[in-house]
Amino acid sequence: MKQVRSFLVALMAVVMGMSVTSCLKGDDNHIFTMTVPVKYNFGSFLMGDATTKLVPTTELGFLDGNMYMISCQYDQSQVTANSTSIPVTLLSTPLCIDPKSNESLTKTKTEPTNPLYSLDKQQSSLVYYDKNTIVLTMPYWVKVTNSSVEDSEVKKHSFVLSYDPDIKATDTKLKLYISHVVDDAEGETVTRSKFTYAYRAYSIGTALAAFKEKTGELPKYLELTAEINDSKDELVDKDGKKTSVERSVEYQYAFTE
């Protein structure tokens, strides 16, 4: 049984980088809870090893996205070391984390219109789905109406990912930039005083290929940079003085050749 547990923890916690926790109440309890990024696969979900399927024990209903974040439980006693199909109980509705059409990776930086709330390893995160796919958690400022964030507000926010094409042969870090862009109507004034989280699964294969072409190998680190302001939703004040700060955070790239 230790072999099975080691296999699952390595697969779900290291490859995916998300949480795997035990709900042990006794030595014979093998129910584990996890939150992981997955790819929708005809009624089931495919993990980042491109082999293991998580199969919900109830009907999923209609899903029209590609990448999702799911929270679920599985019974370790039903799984062997060679299992490629794991029955899971979903704990909430799967959350689609596909990027919008205007958010896909580009080598031309988009200028942000608004800051992120923060960019650090406590309130934000970067995890890996597979070698070419990263999943970002990004706190950002929103307008709250009657104690909730309306869909119309969420739809205004885009998070455009770009990479620095100026790569030198000696570089070890692939530099990525998050641009938070808000599509308010012309002349519209919106007060955003609370923060929530955006989740996106970005394909960075193009940037990795460009990095390897210049350096001969994959990066050792990914460096994320964004404008942040944890006290107010603004880049500059009314006098034009910059109030946001450009913040960078570094993550070890989890894969080798």
Side-chain angles (χ1 to χ4, degrees), residues 55-91:
V55 184
T57 55
T58 56
E59 289 289 334
L60 278 175
F62 178 72
L63 296 179
D64 62 352
N66 183 46
M67 293 293 299
Y68 286 84
M69 190 79 74
I70 64 169
S71 292
C72 62
Q73 289 182 338
Y74 70 95
D75 186 345
Q76 189 183 39
S77 66
Q78 298 179 11
V79 181
T80 68
N82 298 319
S83 292
T84 58
S85 182
I86 302 174
V88 297
T89 300
L90 295 178
L91 302 178

PDB file of all heavy atoms in Angstrom, residues 55-91:
ATOM      1  N   VAL A  55     -12.254   9.510 -13.056  1.00  0.00           N
ATOM      2  CA  VAL A  55     -13.602   9.234 -13.554  1.00  0.00           C
ATOM      3  C   VAL A  55     -14.624   9.572 -12.472  1.00  0.00           C
ATOM      4  O   VAL A  55     -14.697   8.884 -11.447  1.00  0.00           O
ATOM      5  CB  VAL A  55     -13.745   7.762 -13.967  1.00  0.00           C
ATOM      6  CG1 VAL A  55     -15.123   7.511 -14.568  1.00  0.00           C
ATOM      7  CG2 VAL A  55     -12.649   7.374 -14.971  1.00  0.00           C
ATOM      8  N   PRO A  56     -15.428  10.624 -12.649  1.00  0.00           N
ATOM      9  CA  PRO A  56     -16.439  10.985 -11.647  1.00  0.00           C
ATOM     10  C   PRO A  56     -17.463   9.878 -11.456  1.00  0.00           C
ATOM     11  O   PRO A  56     -17.843   9.192 -12.420  1.00  0.00           O
ATOM     12  CB  PRO A  56     -17.084  12.247 -12.235  1.00  0.00           C
ATOM     13  CG  PRO A  56     -16.052  12.810 -13.158  1.00  0.00           C
ATOM     14  CD  PRO A  56     -15.359  11.612 -13.745  1.00  0.00           C
ATOM     15  N   THR A  57     -17.900   9.696 -10.234  1.00  0.00           N
ATOM     16  CA  THR A  57     -18.883   8.656  -9.925  1.00  0.00           C
ATOM     17  C   THR A  57     -20.302   9.107 -10.240  1.00  0.00           C
ATOM     18  O   THR A  57     -21.238   8.312 -10.165  1.00  0.00           O
ATOM     19  CB  THR A  57     -18.790   8.275  -8.445  1.00  0.00           C
ATOM     20  OG1 THR A  57     -18.930   9.461  -7.642  1.00  0.00           O
ATOM     21  CG2 THR A  57     -17.452   7.628  -8.143  1.00  0.00           C
ATOM     22  N   THR A  58     -20.485  10.390 -10.593  1.00  0.00           N
ATOM     23  CA  THR A  58     -21.788  10.910 -10.998  1.00  0.00           C
ATOM     24  C   THR A  58     -21.665  11.566 -12.365  1.00  0.00           C
ATOM     25  O   THR A  58     -20.555  11.909 -12.808  1.00  0.00           O
ATOM     26  CB  THR A  58     -22.312  11.945  -9.988  1.00  0.00           C
ATOM     27  OG1 THR A  58     -21.344  12.996  -9.844  1.00  0.00           O
ATOM     28  CG2 THR A  58     -22.564  11.305  -8.641  1.00  0.00           C
ATOM     29  N   GLU A  59     -22.792  11.752 -13.040  1.00  0.00           N
ATOM     30  CA  GLU A  59     -22.788  12.363 -14.365  1.00  0.00           C
ATOM     31  C   GLU A  59     -22.230  13.781 -14.300  1.00  0.00           C
ATOM     32  O   GLU A  59     -22.579  14.568 -13.415  1.00  0.00           O
ATOM     33  CB  GLU A  59     -24.200  12.402 -14.936  1.00  0.00           C
ATOM     34  CG  GLU A  59     -24.739  11.040 -15.342  1.00  0.00           C
ATOM     35  CD  GLU A  59     -24.059  10.493 -16.597  1.00  0.00           C
ATOM     36  OE1 GLU A  59     -23.558  11.304 -17.407  1.00  0.00           O
ATOM     37  OE2 GLU A  59     -24.014   9.262 -16.748  1.00  0.00           O
ATOM     38  N   LEU A  60     -21.382  14.113 -15.270  1.00  0.00           N
ATOM     39  CA  LEU A  60     -20.781  15.432 -15.300  1.00  0.00           C
ATOM     40  C   LEU A  60     -21.724  16.500 -15.841  1.00  0.00           C
ATOM     41  O   LEU A  60     -21.634  17.668 -15.482  1.00  0.00           O
ATOM     42  CB  LEU A  60     -19.516  15.410 -16.171  1.00  0.00           C
ATOM     43  CG  LEU A  60     -18.233  14.894 -15.525  1.00  0.00           C
ATOM     44  CD1 LEU A  60     -17.129  14.829 -16.552  1.00  0.00           C
ATOM     45  CD2 LEU A  60     -17.830  15.788 -14.368  1.00  0.00           C
ATOM     46  N   GLY A  61     -22.623  16.105 -16.737  1.00  0.00           N
ATOM     47  CA  GLY A  61     -23.402  17.098 -17.441  1.00  0.00           C
ATOM     48  C   GLY A  61     -22.585  17.665 -18.593  1.00  0.00           C
ATOM     49  O   GLY A  61     -21.504  17.167 -18.930  1.00  0.00           O
ATOM     50  N   PHE A  62     -23.053  18.748 -19.178  1.00  0.00           N
ATOM     51  CA  PHE A  62     -22.394  19.310 -20.366  1.00  0.00           C
ATOM     52  C   PHE A  62     -21.209  20.179 -19.967  1.00  0.00           C
ATOM     53  O   PHE A  62     -21.345  21.113 -19.186  1.00  0.00           O
ATOM     54  CB  PHE A  62     -23.396  20.130 -21.175  1.00  0.00           C
ATOM     55  CG  PHE A  62     -22.782  20.793 -22.386  1.00  0.00           C
ATOM     56  CD1 PHE A  62     -22.403  20.053 -23.485  1.00  0.00           C
ATOM     57  CD2 PHE A  62     -22.573  22.166 -22.397  1.00  0.00           C
ATOM     58  CE1 PHE A  62     -21.831  20.663 -24.597  1.00  0.00           C
ATOM     59  CE2 PHE A  62     -22.006  22.788 -23.504  1.00  0.00           C
ATOM     60  CZ  PHE A  62     -21.635  22.032 -24.600  1.00  0.00           C
ATOM     61  N   LEU A  63     -20.049  19.860 -20.516  1.00  0.00           N
ATOM     62  CA  LEU A  63     -18.850  20.673 -20.338  1.00  0.00           C
ATOM     63  C   LEU A  63     -18.297  21.014 -21.712  1.00  0.00           C
ATOM     64  O   LEU A  63     -18.034  20.109 -22.511  1.00  0.00           O
ATOM     65  CB  LEU A  63     -17.788  19.922 -19.522  1.00  0.00           C
ATOM     66  CG  LEU A  63     -18.124  19.562 -18.068  1.00  0.00           C
ATOM     67  CD1 LEU A  63     -16.979  18.809 -17.432  1.00  0.00           C
ATOM     68  CD2 LEU A  63     -18.451  20.805 -17.258  1.00  0.00           C
ATOM     69  N   ASP A  64     -18.109  22.291 -22.004  1.00  0.00           N
ATOM     70  CA  ASP A  64     -17.625  22.665 -23.330  1.00  0.00           C
ATOM     71  C   ASP A  64     -16.218  23.253 -23.302  1.00  0.00           C
ATOM     72  O   ASP A  64     -15.729  23.786 -24.292  1.00  0.00           O
ATOM     73  CB  ASP A  64     -18.582  23.666 -23.991  1.00  0.00           C
ATOM     74  CG  ASP A  64     -18.707  24.970 -23.209  1.00  0.00           C
ATOM     75  OD1 ASP A  64     -18.174  25.042 -22.084  1.00  0.00           O
ATOM     76  OD2 ASP A  64     -19.324  25.914 -23.729  1.00  0.00           O
ATOM     77  N   GLY A  65     -15.534  23.136 -22.146  1.00  0.00           N
ATOM     78  CA  GLY A  65     -14.170  23.637 -22.047  1.00  0.00           C
ATOM     79  C   GLY A  65     -13.145  22.532 -22.232  1.00  0.00           C
ATOM     80  O   GLY A  65     -13.477  21.362 -22.437  1.00  0.00           O
ATOM     81  N   ASN A  66     -11.889  22.897 -22.132  1.00  0.00           N
ATOM     82  CA  ASN A  66     -10.786  21.959 -22.297  1.00  0.00           C
ATOM     83  C   ASN A  66     -10.088  21.683 -20.967  1.00  0.00           C
ATOM     84  O   ASN A  66      -9.990  20.544 -20.524  1.00  0.00           O
ATOM     85  CB  ASN A  66      -9.783  22.504 -23.309  1.00  0.00           C
ATOM     86  CG  ASN A  66      -8.640  21.551 -23.580  1.00  0.00           C
ATOM     87  OD1 ASN A  66      -8.850  20.361 -23.776  1.00  0.00           O
ATOM     88  ND2 ASN A  66      -7.422  22.082 -23.603  1.00  0.00           N
ATOM     89  N   MET A  67      -9.630  22.735 -20.297  1.00  0.00           N
ATOM     90  CA  MET A  67      -8.919  22.597 -19.036  1.00  0.00           C
ATOM     91  C   MET A  67      -9.817  23.007 -17.870  1.00  0.00           C
ATOM     92  O   MET A  67     -10.542  24.007 -17.944  1.00  0.00           O
ATOM     93  CB  MET A  67      -7.657  23.462 -19.030  1.00  0.00           C
ATOM     94  CG  MET A  67      -6.583  23.014 -20.004  1.00  0.00           C
ATOM     95  SD  MET A  67      -5.831  21.410 -19.575  1.00  0.00           S
ATOM     96  CE  MET A  67      -5.130  21.774 -17.958  1.00  0.00           C
ATOM     97  N   TYR A  68      -9.727  22.229 -16.778  1.00  0.00           N
ATOM     98  CA  TYR A  68     -10.555  22.487 -15.600  1.00  0.00           C
ATOM     99  C   TYR A  68      -9.736  22.343 -14.326  1.00  0.00           C
ATOM    100  O   TYR A  68      -8.722  21.634 -14.301  1.00  0.00           O
ATOM    101  CB  TYR A  68     -11.731  21.512 -15.540  1.00  0.00           C
ATOM    102  CG  TYR A  68     -12.812  21.820 -16.548  1.00  0.00           C
ATOM    103  CD1 TYR A  68     -12.718  21.355 -17.861  1.00  0.00           C
ATOM    104  CD2 TYR A  68     -13.920  22.586 -16.199  1.00  0.00           C
ATOM    105  CE1 TYR A  68     -13.704  21.648 -18.797  1.00  0.00           C
ATOM    106  CE2 TYR A  68     -14.914  22.881 -17.130  1.00  0.00           C
ATOM    107  CZ  TYR A  68     -14.805  22.407 -18.416  1.00  0.00           C
ATOM    108  OH  TYR A  68     -15.773  22.705 -19.346  1.00  0.00           O
ATOM    109  N   MET A  69     -10.208  22.989 -13.271  1.00  0.00           N
ATOM    110  CA  MET A  69      -9.715  22.749 -11.926  1.00  0.00           C
ATOM    111  C   MET A  69     -10.814  21.980 -11.205  1.00  0.00           C
ATOM    112  O   MET A  69     -11.978  22.404 -11.220  1.00  0.00           O
ATOM    113  CB  MET A  69      -9.436  24.059 -11.196  1.00  0.00           C
ATOM    114  CG  MET A  69      -8.706  23.873  -9.878  1.00  0.00           C
ATOM    115  SD  MET A  69      -6.937  23.611 -10.119  1.00  0.00           S
ATOM    116  CE  MET A  69      -6.411  25.277 -10.560  1.00  0.00           C
ATOM    117  N   ILE A  70     -10.466  20.858 -10.601  1.00  0.00           N
ATOM    118  CA  ILE A  70     -11.472  20.084  -9.876  1.00  0.00           C
ATOM    119  C   ILE A  70     -11.001  19.802  -8.451  1.00  0.00           C
ATOM    120  O   ILE A  70      -9.806  19.649  -8.191  1.00  0.00           O
ATOM    121  CB  ILE A  70     -11.814  18.750 -10.575  1.00  0.00           C
ATOM    122  CG1 ILE A  70     -10.601  17.810 -10.611  1.00  0.00           C
ATOM    123  CG2 ILE A  70     -12.372  18.990 -11.970  1.00  0.00           C
ATOM    124  CD1 ILE A  70     -10.953  16.385 -11.040  1.00  0.00           C
ATOM    125  N   SER A  71     -11.971  19.755  -7.545  1.00  0.00           N
ATOM    126  CA  SER A  71     -11.734  19.288  -6.186  1.00  0.00           C
ATOM    127  C   SER A  71     -12.495  17.982  -6.035  1.00  0.00           C
ATOM    128  O   SER A  71     -13.678  17.905  -6.376  1.00  0.00           O
ATOM    129  CB  SER A  71     -12.228  20.310  -5.154  1.00  0.00           C
ATOM    130  OG  SER A  71     -11.436  21.476  -5.188  1.00  0.00           O
ATOM    131  N   CYS A  72     -11.819  16.950  -5.541  1.00  0.00           N
ATOM    132  CA  CYS A  72     -12.452  15.635  -5.490  1.00  0.00           C
ATOM    133  C   CYS A  72     -11.831  14.775  -4.392  1.00  0.00           C
ATOM    134  O   CYS A  72     -10.809  15.124  -3.805  1.00  0.00           O
ATOM    135  CB  CYS A  72     -12.319  14.933  -6.844  1.00  0.00           C
ATOM    136  SG  CYS A  72     -10.617  14.615  -7.354  1.00  0.00           S
ATOM    137  N   GLN A  73     -12.485  13.645  -4.145  1.00  0.00           N
ATOM    138  CA  GLN A  73     -11.962  12.644  -3.225  1.00  0.00           C
ATOM    139  C   GLN A  73     -11.849  11.308  -3.948  1.00  0.00           C
ATOM    140  O   GLN A  73     -12.621  11.031  -4.866  1.00  0.00           O
ATOM    141  CB  GLN A  73     -12.889  12.486  -2.011  1.00  0.00           C
ATOM    142  CG  GLN A  73     -12.867  13.663  -1.065  1.00  0.00           C
ATOM    143  CD  GLN A  73     -13.759  13.441   0.141  1.00  0.00           C
ATOM    144  OE1 GLN A  73     -14.679  12.632   0.105  1.00  0.00           O
ATOM    145  NE2 GLN A  73     -13.478  14.157   1.227  1.00  0.00           N
ATOM    146  N   TYR A  74     -10.870  10.504  -3.534  1.00  0.00           N
ATOM    147  CA  TYR A  74     -10.756   9.149  -4.070  1.00  0.00           C
ATOM    148  C   TYR A  74     -10.397   8.200  -2.934  1.00  0.00           C
ATOM    149  O   TYR A  74      -9.836   8.606  -1.906  1.00  0.00           O
ATOM    150  CB  TYR A  74      -9.704   9.072  -5.192  1.00  0.00           C
ATOM    151  CG  TYR A  74      -8.281   9.238  -4.736  1.00  0.00           C
ATOM    152  CD1 TYR A  74      -7.479   8.125  -4.459  1.00  0.00           C
ATOM    153  CD2 TYR A  74      -7.721  10.500  -4.594  1.00  0.00           C
ATOM    154  CE1 TYR A  74      -6.177   8.270  -4.043  1.00  0.00           C
ATOM    155  CE2 TYR A  74      -6.414  10.658  -4.170  1.00  0.00           C
ATOM    156  CZ  TYR A  74      -5.645   9.543  -3.898  1.00  0.00           C
ATOM    157  OH  TYR A  74      -4.351   9.699  -3.473  1.00  0.00           O
ATOM    158  N   ASP A  75     -10.753   6.950  -3.128  1.00  0.00           N
ATOM    159  CA  ASP A  75     -10.494   5.904  -2.135  1.00  0.00           C
ATOM    160  C   ASP A  75      -9.246   5.144  -2.552  1.00  0.00           C
ATOM    161  O   ASP A  75      -9.244   4.423  -3.549  1.00  0.00           O
ATOM    162  CB  ASP A  75     -11.695   4.960  -2.052  1.00  0.00           C
ATOM    163  CG  ASP A  75     -11.554   3.926  -0.937  1.00  0.00           C
ATOM    164  OD1 ASP A  75     -10.436   3.749  -0.428  1.00  0.00           O
ATOM    165  OD2 ASP A  75     -12.572   3.309  -0.596  1.00  0.00           O
ATOM    166  N   GLN A  76      -8.191   5.302  -1.796  1.00  0.00           N
ATOM    167  CA  GLN A  76      -6.913   4.689  -2.150  1.00  0.00           C
ATOM    168  C   GLN A  76      -6.996   3.171  -2.192  1.00  0.00           C
ATOM    169  O   GLN A  76      -6.264   2.523  -2.952  1.00  0.00           O
ATOM    170  CB  GLN A  76      -5.841   5.133  -1.163  1.00  0.00           C
ATOM    171  CG  GLN A  76      -4.433   4.730  -1.566  1.00  0.00           C
ATOM    172  CD  GLN A  76      -3.421   5.130  -0.521  1.00  0.00           C
ATOM    173  OE1 GLN A  76      -3.684   5.022   0.672  1.00  0.00           O
ATOM    174  NE2 GLN A  76      -2.272   5.596  -0.959  1.00  0.00           N
ATOM    175  N   SER A  77      -7.902   2.596  -1.434  1.00  0.00           N
ATOM    176  CA  SER A  77      -8.015   1.138  -1.405  1.00  0.00           C
ATOM    177  C   SER A  77      -8.538   0.577  -2.728  1.00  0.00           C
ATOM    178  O   SER A  77      -8.418  -0.622  -2.983  1.00  0.00           O
ATOM    179  CB  SER A  77      -8.926   0.699  -0.254  1.00  0.00           C
ATOM    180  OG  SER A  77     -10.263   1.120  -0.470  1.00  0.00           O
ATOM    181  N   GLN A  78      -9.117   1.443  -3.580  1.00  0.00           N
ATOM    182  CA  GLN A  78      -9.614   1.010  -4.878  1.00  0.00           C
ATOM    183  C   GLN A  78      -8.591   1.183  -5.996  1.00  0.00           C
ATOM    184  O   GLN A  78      -8.873   0.917  -7.159  1.00  0.00           O
ATOM    185  CB  GLN A  78     -10.885   1.798  -5.240  1.00  0.00           C
ATOM    186  CG  GLN A  78     -12.034   1.597  -4.289  1.00  0.00           C
ATOM    187  CD  GLN A  78     -13.256   2.411  -4.686  1.00  0.00           C
ATOM    188  OE1 GLN A  78     -13.320   2.964  -5.780  1.00  0.00           O
ATOM    189  NE2 GLN A  78     -14.237   2.466  -3.807  1.00  0.00           N
ATOM    190  N   VAL A  79      -7.397   1.625  -5.630  1.00  0.00           N
ATOM    191  CA  VAL A  79      -6.376   1.970  -6.623  1.00  0.00           C
ATOM    192  C   VAL A  79      -5.149   1.095  -6.441  1.00  0.00           C
ATOM    193  O   VAL A  79      -4.704   0.847  -5.314  1.00  0.00           O
ATOM    194  CB  VAL A  79      -5.974   3.453  -6.488  1.00  0.00           C
ATOM    195  CG1 VAL A  79      -4.935   3.827  -7.545  1.00  0.00           C
ATOM    196  CG2 VAL A  79      -7.199   4.349  -6.606  1.00  0.00           C
ATOM    197  N   THR A  80      -4.599   0.611  -7.541  1.00  0.00           N
ATOM    198  CA  THR A  80      -3.342  -0.134  -7.508  1.00  0.00           C
ATOM    199  C   THR A  80      -2.239   0.715  -8.122  1.00  0.00           C
ATOM    200  O   THR A  80      -2.497   1.760  -8.718  1.00  0.00           O
ATOM    201  CB  THR A  80      -3.453  -1.448  -8.301  1.00  0.00           C
ATOM    202  OG1 THR A  80      -3.580  -1.142  -9.702  1.00  0.00           O
ATOM    203  CG2 THR A  80      -4.660  -2.260  -7.846  1.00  0.00           C
ATOM    204  N   ALA A  81      -1.014   0.250  -7.993  1.00  0.00           N
ATOM    205  CA  ALA A  81       0.118   1.017  -8.514  1.00  0.00           C
ATOM    206  C   ALA A  81       0.051   1.186 -10.023  1.00  0.00           C
ATOM    207  O   ALA A  81       0.629   2.122 -10.586  1.00  0.00           O
ATOM    208  CB  ALA A  81       1.421   0.326  -8.121  1.00  0.00           C
ATOM    209  N   ASN A  82      -0.654   0.270 -10.712  1.00  0.00           N
ATOM    210  CA  ASN A  82      -0.743   0.336 -12.170  1.00  0.00           C
ATOM    211  C   ASN A  82      -2.064   0.921 -12.665  1.00  0.00           C
ATOM    212  O   ASN A  82      -2.353   0.882 -13.857  1.00  0.00           O
ATOM    213  CB  ASN A  82      -0.568  -1.067 -12.763  1.00  0.00           C
ATOM    214  CG  ASN A  82       0.799  -1.653 -12.452  1.00  0.00           C
ATOM    215  OD1 ASN A  82       1.803  -0.951 -12.511  1.00  0.00           O
ATOM    216  ND2 ASN A  82       0.841  -2.939 -12.110  1.00  0.00           N
ATOM    217  N   SER A  83      -2.854   1.477 -11.766  1.00  0.00           N
ATOM    218  CA  SER A  83      -4.155   2.018 -12.156  1.00  0.00           C
ATOM    219  C   SER A  83      -3.996   3.199 -13.111  1.00  0.00           C
ATOM    220  O   SER A  83      -3.182   4.100 -12.874  1.00  0.00           O
ATOM    221  CB  SER A  83      -4.939   2.475 -10.930  1.00  0.00           C
ATOM    222  OG  SER A  83      -5.316   1.395 -10.122  1.00  0.00           O
ATOM    223  N   THR A  84      -4.777   3.182 -14.160  1.00  0.00           N
ATOM    224  CA  THR A  84      -4.822   4.324 -15.080  1.00  0.00           C
ATOM    225  C   THR A  84      -6.202   4.966 -15.076  1.00  0.00           C
ATOM    226  O   THR A  84      -6.424   5.942 -15.784  1.00  0.00           O
ATOM    227  CB  THR A  84      -4.463   3.897 -16.514  1.00  0.00           C
ATOM    228  OG1 THR A  84      -5.373   2.875 -16.940  1.00  0.00           O
ATOM    229  CG2 THR A  84      -3.039   3.383 -16.586  1.00  0.00           C
ATOM    230  N   SER A  85      -7.120   4.428 -14.279  1.00  0.00           N
ATOM    231  CA  SER A  85      -8.470   4.973 -14.161  1.00  0.00           C
ATOM    232  C   SER A  85      -8.854   4.978 -12.688  1.00  0.00           C
ATOM    233  O   SER A  85      -8.882   3.930 -12.041  1.00  0.00           O
ATOM    234  CB  SER A  85      -9.463   4.131 -14.967  1.00  0.00           C
ATOM    235  OG  SER A  85     -10.769   4.662 -14.893  1.00  0.00           O
ATOM    236  N   ILE A  86      -9.115   6.171 -12.129  1.00  0.00           N
ATOM    237  CA  ILE A  86      -9.383   6.312 -10.698  1.00  0.00           C
ATOM    238  C   ILE A  86     -10.772   6.898 -10.498  1.00  0.00           C
ATOM    239  O   ILE A  86     -11.049   8.019 -10.957  1.00  0.00           O
ATOM    240  CB  ILE A  86      -8.332   7.235 -10.047  1.00  0.00           C
ATOM    241  CG1 ILE A  86      -6.919   6.669 -10.264  1.00  0.00           C
ATOM    242  CG2 ILE A  86      -8.615   7.406  -8.562  1.00  0.00           C
ATOM    243  CD1 ILE A  86      -5.812   7.568  -9.793  1.00  0.00           C
ATOM    244  N   PRO A  87     -11.675   6.195  -9.823  1.00  0.00           N
ATOM    245  CA  PRO A  87     -13.004   6.751  -9.523  1.00  0.00           C
ATOM    246  C   PRO A  87     -12.874   7.881  -8.508  1.00  0.00           C
ATOM    247  O   PRO A  87     -12.167   7.735  -7.501  1.00  0.00           O
ATOM    248  CB  PRO A  87     -13.770   5.570  -8.931  1.00  0.00           C
ATOM    249  CG  PRO A  87     -12.934   4.363  -9.207  1.00  0.00           C
ATOM    250  CD  PRO A  87     -11.524   4.831  -9.320  1.00  0.00           C
ATOM    251  N   VAL A  88     -13.527   9.009  -8.771  1.00  0.00           N
ATOM    252  CA  VAL A  88     -13.452  10.151  -7.859  1.00  0.00           C
ATOM    253  C   VAL A  88     -14.849  10.706  -7.598  1.00  0.00           C
ATOM    254  O   VAL A  88     -15.743  10.612  -8.441  1.00  0.00           O
ATOM    255  CB  VAL A  88     -12.545  11.275  -8.407  1.00  0.00           C
ATOM    256  CG1 VAL A  88     -11.110  10.801  -8.549  1.00  0.00           C
ATOM    257  CG2 VAL A  88     -13.081  11.816  -9.725  1.00  0.00           C
ATOM    258  N   THR A  89     -15.011  11.275  -6.420  1.00  0.00           N
ATOM    259  CA  THR A  89     -16.235  11.984  -6.061  1.00  0.00           C
ATOM    260  C   THR A  89     -15.945  13.477  -6.129  1.00  0.00           C
ATOM    261  O   THR A  89     -15.072  13.977  -5.407  1.00  0.00           O
ATOM    262  CB  THR A  89     -16.691  11.616  -4.639  1.00  0.00           C
ATOM    263  OG1 THR A  89     -16.933  10.211  -4.573  1.00  0.00           O
ATOM    264  CG2 THR A  89     -17.956  12.368  -4.269  1.00  0.00           C
ATOM    265  N   LEU A  90     -16.643  14.176  -7.017  1.00  0.00           N
ATOM    266  CA  LEU A  90     -16.439  15.614  -7.142  1.00  0.00           C
ATOM    267  C   LEU A  90     -17.028  16.326  -5.937  1.00  0.00           C
ATOM    268  O   LEU A  90     -18.146  16.037  -5.505  1.00  0.00           O
ATOM    269  CB  LEU A  90     -17.073  16.136  -8.422  1.00  0.00           C
ATOM    270  CG  LEU A  90     -16.472  15.625  -9.739  1.00  0.00           C
ATOM    271  CD1 LEU A  90     -17.237  16.203 -10.925  1.00  0.00           C
ATOM    272  CD2 LEU A  90     -14.993  15.972  -9.851  1.00  0.00           C
ATOM    273  N   LEU A  91     -16.298  17.288  -5.402  1.00  0.00           N
ATOM    274  CA  LEU A  91     -16.738  18.045  -4.238  1.00  0.00           C
ATOM    275  C   LEU A  91     -17.368  19.376  -4.613  1.00  0.00           C
ATOM    276  O   LEU A  91     -17.969  20.047  -3.763  1.00  0.00           O
ATOM    277  CB  LEU A  91     -15.562  18.280  -3.288  1.00  0.00           C
ATOM    278  CG  LEU A  91     -14.867  17.018  -2.780  1.00  0.00           C
ATOM    279  CD1 LEU A  91     -13.692  17.394  -1.891  1.00  0.00           C
ATOM    280  CD2 LEU A  91     -15.853  16.127  -2.025  1.00  0.00           C
TER     281      LEU A  91
END
